[in-house]
Amino acid sequence: MNPDYAGSPAWKQAWRLRCCPPEHMLIRPADQRLRDHLEICPWCRDTLELPPCPLPMDQPLESIAPTTPLPGHIYFLHSRLAGWGPKSRYYNPPAVLILSCPDEHSLFVAQIYGDLSLAGADDIVLPPDPGGFAQPWNCYTLMRDDVGPRLGKVDADLVVTLLEQRKQGELPLQPGSLLCFFRQMEVETGYYFAQQASRRLMMVHTGQSATLLRYTDHRELLPDLLQLPLKMITDATSVTGMDDLLAVTCADERLLPLAAADAATIQALVFTVEQGRLVAATVETLTLTSRDYADGVLTVTGLADCSSTEVQAWIVRWQSGTELIPPLPGQSGCEERLFWAAFPLKPHQADQPGTLIVRILRERRE
């Protein structure tokens, strides 16, 4: 909430649409999350004291019959995705424009908003039906079943225009301006739903390495590993799974870059899979952007070159001494270039030096 714009009708509507719980939640006995929200939201406090003022509708009373999502279609996200999140906000599902359908599980979308007074010069204005504008600076990946009612569709040319505008990058904004605060809120809204989707997508794909690799036992994998320019960082006979066997390999000097990586980067091993077998290994440099430990969880984020359209499976481990610690279920992934992983660590494990290990499988197709 930014008090400087409390008198702006456009900001009030945007805030209430994106960040406030529905009125039926306000009249329930307040829990801590609602109390925290009331501390920062004057409009929800007014709702409790004055006659009801309904939130702006973000879903039609009647929607188009369910269809198969395709590029150019506009959907509201499913209402079941709504919920409390960071900054004492209740995150209401936005509408999105589908830009592409990368695979049978996921959709790549741009978030849209209805009030053109908050559109910038780099936004893409939509036709009057459905109206509003699409945000090329706020695109992310969702699960296919995240979408709810369909609102309408736009021509393919508009999708192409949006994707081209996205490549140009976001225009500079005046710090502290209403547009700057609005876009920050929109990105945070999109991230809330994209993060949910990424966790579920990772759960869908947790078995992907086993799907890509056709070995029936991790011991069958070892001979192919030994044919590659790799070495084991521990006794391979003590490893019991294929993912862990890949994690205990490291590149020899033939694969490493000539220049040593700095402390903010790590070297990820990228394995090429052909007909279910490992046939090649290369090195990719990943940049670490943050490392935070709180409440027994170490969260690591970074940037990677994930531009490949080949099928990928990610294997991440935190190495503490000789122990390889897997991430929490559904708490790792890569969306576009951003990757993250959250590991359950005891305080003494977090205090001692550790290493992020990343292994990537890419499938070579005919």
Side-chain angles (χ1 to χ4, degrees):
M1 166 61 67
N2 188 278
D4 294 341
Y5 298 105
S8 166
W11 176 248
K12 175 181 178 180
Q13 176 161 309
W15 172 267
R16 299 215 68 194
L17 180 63
R18 294 296 194 232
C19 306
C20 293
E23 286 189 4
H24 73 269
M25 294 185 66
L26 293 177
I27 62 176
R28 294 176 181 172
D31 60 13
Q32 187 59 52
R33 293 173 299 184
L34 179 55
R35 287 193 290 269
D36 290 343
H37 179 78
L38 292 172
E39 286 288 327
I40 64 170
C41 183
W43 297 304
C44 280
R45 293 198 299 271
D46 289 345
T47 300
L48 291 175
E49 299 169 0
L50 301 175
C53 176
L55 291 176
M57 290 294 292
D58 68 337
Q59 289 191 190
L61 296 177
E62 296 182 3
S63 60
I64 300 174
T67 59
T68 300
L70 294 171
H73 287 186
I74 296 175
Y75 286 84
F76 291 107
L77 297 195
H78 201 286
S79 58
R80 61 174 164 77
L81 300 174
W84 291 106
K87 297 188 175 182
S88 302
R89 298 177 185 171
Y90 187 88
Y91 287 75
N92 294 290
V96 296
L97 168 63
I98 297 176
L99 303 178
S100 65
C101 305
D103 56 43
E104 69 272 25
H105 301 293
S106 61
L107 302 170
F108 186 60
V109 306
Q111 196 162 294
I112 67 174
Y113 189 74
D115 185 353
L116 289 176
S117 71
L118 292 172
D122 51 346
D123 287 313
I124 305 298
V125 177
L126 302 177
D129 184 15
F133 61 93
Q135 303 166 349
W137 40 269
N138 192 17
C139 301
Y140 45 89
T141 300
L142 296 170
M143 292 280 288
R144 284 190 179 232
D145 62 1
D146 285 343
V147 297
R150 201 188 96 183
L151 177 60
K153 64 179 181 178
V154 299
D155 292 338
D157 289 348
L158 190 144
V159 174
V160 172
T161 300
L162 191 148
L163 290 170
E164 289 297 321
Q165 180 61 47
R166 181 171 178 268
K167 293 179 182 178
Q168 302 300 318
E170 185 177 1
L171 293 179
L173 301 176
Q174 180 182 351
S177 65
L178 174 59
L179 187 57
C180 184
F181 280 107
F182 169 74
R183 289 196 174 187
Q184 180 180 343
M185 181 179 68
E186 286 293 275
V187 169
E188 290 168 348
T189 298
Y191 180 75
Y192 175 82
F193 295 102
Q195 188 178 45
Q196 291 185 59
S198 66
R199 292 171 179 172
R200 296 175 60 221
L201 282 169
M202 283 303 297
M203 293 180 71
V204 168
H205 292 297
T206 48
Q208 190 174 34
S209 59
T211 302
L212 292 180
L213 298 176
R214 299 295 188 264
Y215 305 95
T216 59
D217 188 282
H218 72 283
R219 289 168 292 189
E220 294 182 3
L221 176 62
L222 190 57
D224 284 350
L225 277 174
L226 295 175
Q227 296 295 319
L228 302 177
L230 306 168
K231 56 186 178 180
M232 300 292 171
I233 60 176
T234 189
D235 182 5
T237 60
S238 65
V239 179
T240 59
M242 279 190 281
D243 285 2
D244 283 339
L245 185 57
L246 295 178
V248 299
T249 60
C250 61
D252 66 18
E253 288 73 14
R254 290 174 287 173
L255 292 182
L256 295 176
L258 294 178
D262 58 36
T265 61
I266 62 170
Q267 304 300 326
L269 270 176
V270 182
F271 293 98
T272 300
V273 180
E274 190 174 80
Q275 296 182 345
R277 303 185 71 91
L278 297 184
V279 296
T282 57
V283 166
E284 182 172 307
T285 299
L286 308 182
T287 302
L288 302 182
T289 55
S290 71
R291 173 182 166 180
D292 299 299
Y293 181 72
D295 299 324
V297 176
L298 174 69
T299 302
V300 182
T301 63
L303 298 173
D305 181 7
C306 297
S307 59
S308 172
T309 58
E310 301 164 328
V311 175
Q312 292 192 5
W314 281 65
I315 300 167
V316 291
R317 296 288 188 272
W318 183 259
Q319 184 183 11
S320 179
T322 59
E323 186 177 5
L324 290 175
I325 302 170
L328 291 164
Q331 298 290 313
S332 64
C334 181
E335 182 178 342
E336 297 206 353
R337 296 186 60 237
L338 174 68
F339 72 88
W340 66 94
F343 302 93
L345 297 187
K346 297 176 181 177
H348 75 274
Q349 293 173 317
D351 289 339
Q352 57 184 275
T355 304
L356 179 66
I357 293 178
V358 179
R359 304 290 180 256
I360 303 171
L361 304 185
R362 289 179 178 164
E363 185 178 23
R364 180 185 294 168
R365 295 179 169 180
E366 297 295 335

